[in-house]
Amino acid sequence: MLKKVRHTLKFFENFNAAELINGKIQDSLGWDNEKEIGFFNDLCSTIESFHSQEETFFNLFKKVEAELPISHCWLAFTKTGQADFNFYTSHKHIDHCFAQDAPTPIVRLVKKVMATETIQVVKVAADADAELADDMTNKGKNYLIGYPLKFSQKIIGCFCFNRLAPGSANIHLTTNLINLLCHLFTQSRIIYRERFYELSMTSHSHNQHPIQEDQTPPSNMIGKSKSIREVYKLIHQVSASDTTVLILGESGVGKELVANAIRCEGLRAKKPFIKINCAALPETLLESELFGHEKGSFTGALGLKKGKFELAEGGTILLDEIGDISPAIQIKLLRVLQEKEFQRIGGERTLKCNVRIIAATNKNLEEMVAAGTFRLDLYYRLNVFPIMVPSLRDRKVDIIPLADHFLAKYEKIAKKEIHRITKTAIDLMIRYHWPGNIRELENCMERAVLLTTDGDVHSHHLPPSMQIAHKHTNKNMGSLRDTLYLVEKAMISDELKRSNGNMAEAARQLGLTERMMGLRVKKFALDPKSFKEKQD
């Protein structure tokens, strides 16, 4: 046990392993037994148990908040070569996000700590983030404390938390204890980066594509299936350039989210992002919307109007449903792509534009080119970096995480508390072929939130079309392994919730031995204690 503690403390300047063994560190930390040493040993084991940074910090925070009088833990680490930060937290089941999605007080505190490299405190006012302020006031004090995280005399991140009353936890909080926690978080980050480096070197030695360090989902996307992770990889590869991107996929798969992710991670993240649906407007209006018009250029043109390309100057423009534009608009758009210039309707002056173009469509442009309805030269200009977004039926592993996300969204709007999705509902959702993809799933979850009366989503809360499809069709359910994995995890989670986190009771209900139950809980990275907390 002490071996892991010694490893944790080896870089900490104020203490060393010898002092720990001799008991000299005990007085300075106020340790009167092995509870605190066991606590840190448990944290070290957590670091070794999980391979992803999100899972590691999420589980570390749960253990820290369970034992210490602190809440609302947030970690921020600098991103290599960028001004943005990677944020990690256990708050409201968000395990990873970027600055644009973190609460404003957290971002302000992190920037303050990073700039001064000292401990900082900020008060969370209701006008800055009402939800965070109310939650913190209910649990303790309404201010956040930020500690700098340093490695090799260089600041690499920040640890933020809200301090609670001393009697609300098992272990007394001291400054030295917080410093040890900060060091532990720094160690975890370094261990993760070393693992990434080793894997990257292994990939190079086998002539494989090198592993990307930030293969986590973009902040606005959810999913861990193989097909969607390929999309993440393409997003990371193309976002740092100004290359034209063509996003392909069925209606409702999230093409606009992909475009937004490319923009947010790119060089033009702080510049304008203009979106236009090319199928929503007739040809004459679409031309005016894209390129603008001069005063008096046509009936009703009472003044000069700037087009979307002018409004997006220096930023990004998304041309959604690009397959629906007319041949006349195709010619003018081709000029923008080739020459980076255009003219307003009725204008004589040629305007230059500095805009990154992202196009999206649910149509097969190659077939349209063969049919003569889409220009071949325009297709080649657009198809520089294509990204095919998979349909929901091809990423069934992601159905439940996406459903949970939408339930959390609409339970807040409806002011309801949703506990779970039942096994029968999960089974129906996995078997369904989802012709409307993620958009249809979101609508289903909104409906379910409105219909449920007991906080559970049952199969009868899902649309009738899903019930009929389940009875009369045998659509492809994806791989057998993925389906069995989802069903087994759902059943175990369901019983743990039903038994209030009692593993023995859940095992009896499922017809398993306690040993078999323990192995499956470990396999799916489930924490029985968390199910008990949810029932409280």
Side-chain angles (χ1 to χ4, degrees), residues 229-244:
R229 289 185 70 85
E230 287 298 318
V231 174
Y232 299 156
K233 180 179 178 181
L234 294 174
I235 290 173
H236 293 313
Q237 289 174 336
V238 78
S239 59
S241 69
D242 284 331
T243 301
T244 300

